Amino acid sequence: MTAVSTVKIAPSILSADFANLEAEVRDVLNGGADLLHLDVMDGHFVPNITFGPPLVKSLRGVTDAVLDCHLMISEPTKYVESFVKAGADWVSVHVEAPDDIAAAIETIRAGGARAGIVLNPDTPVEKAEPYLDDVGLVLIMSVFPGFGGQSFIPEVLDKVRVLKTNGYGGEISIDGGIAEDTAPQAIDAGVDVMVAGTAVFGRDDRAAAIRALRSSAA
Ligand code: DX5
Ligand code: ZN
């Protein structure tokens, strides 16, 4: 029997066709995506470069969908305000960034957006603890950040279980290597949001891809 989960699906535009981004975004939203995941990389915190606030602003102009900005940048404090001003709804910063994370979170919230904290696969869940009262999202990386299309690391799901057991009240998102075969484990661990790049944009029928991620083997 197949059960359909209420987990939110957040396609990562990292795997979209950037030359046709508006059409790509409309396609996944019409296909049932709940929000859009925007991977911001600075070529310093991670060995890859993507885009910044101007692209967020352009997307804000064509959709009311929640824009979930995942900042893989070394100096989030310096830039979070410009992402909020560009129209980001959620802005998440890595605890590993060599910066004042509490200040970044405060600035995001002061701008009226939801602040999130991100943990790399090898970062213990305890590192999130000082911030849990102030963030509405904990993003658990299930690959090392920088690139789409990597293999899911199942051990990180223990962090999801710990957060749930400890009564964390915000949403928990999982990011990296989510596909039809790995999604059931994440759903079972209790995630609220699943980020998926390759598994959605890599398929021609995005609605079918999103449905497949939500359907977990019961
Ligand atoms: C990795 C990014 C992910 C990535 C996911 O640094 O944070 O959001 O786009 O891509 P897939 O789903 O292909 O692993
Ligand atoms: Zn991401």
Side-chain angles (χ1 to χ4, degrees):
M1 191 188 144
T2 298
V4 176
S5 165
T6 55
V7 68
K8 292 178 185 169
I9 306 293
S12 164
I13 66 162
L14 190 60
S15 301
D17 174 3
F18 275 51
N20 294 296
L21 196 52
E22 182 179 357
E24 289 281 76
V25 158
R26 291 198 194 287
D27 196 23
V28 295
L29 291 170
N30 290 336
D34 298 280
L35 61 145
L36 297 169
H37 184 83
L38 312 184
D39 286 307
V40 177
M41 305 186 189
D42 67 353
H44 185 77
F45 184 75
V46 287
N48 197 3
I49 299 176
T50 55
F51 50 79
L55 185 119
V56 177
K57 193 176 176 196
S58 294
L59 286 177
R60 181 78 295 156
V62 298
T63 180
D64 291 330
V66 167
L67 302 179
D68 163 29
C69 290
H70 172 193
L71 303 190
M72 287 159 272
I73 66 178
S74 294
E75 296 182 279
T77 307
K78 201 165 155 185
Y79 297 102
V80 284
E81 192 178 3
S82 47
F83 281 96
V84 174
K85 283 194 172 144
D89 298 285
W90 303 357
V91 180
S92 300
V93 297
H94 272 261
V95 287
E96 304 87 3
D99 200 355
D100 187 344
I101 302 305
I105 291 170
E106 199 182 315
T107 306
I108 296 163
R109 297 184 67 190
R114 177 195 280 195
I117 200 86
V118 193
L119 298 176
N120 274 340
D122 58 356
T123 300
V125 71
E126 291 73 28
K127 294 277 184 196
E129 265 163 24
Y131 312 109
L132 289 181
D133 287 342
D134 299 316
V135 295
L137 179 76
V138 178
L139 182 56
I140 302 292
M141 292 306 300
S142 38
V143 299
F144 284 90
F147 302 93
Q150 304 182 75
S151 296
F152 184 74
I153 303 170
E155 289 77 16
V156 305
L157 292 174
D158 286 342
K159 288 186 257 192
V160 176
R161 296 188 190 98
V162 168
L163 287 166
K164 286 275 166 194
T165 304
N166 292 349
Y168 173 63
E171 290 194 292
I172 303 173
S173 182
I174 190 106
D175 185 5
I178 290 292
E180 269 177 74
D181 57 338
T182 53
Q185 304 168 53
I187 292 170
D188 192 54
V191 300
D192 303 288
V193 181
M194 294 195 300
V195 175
T198 313
V200 174
F201 284 107
R203 291 195 34 192
D204 290 336
D205 186 342
R206 276 67 185 272
I210 290 166
R211 266 198 311 275
L213 291 177
R214 253 196 264 271
S215 304
S216 62

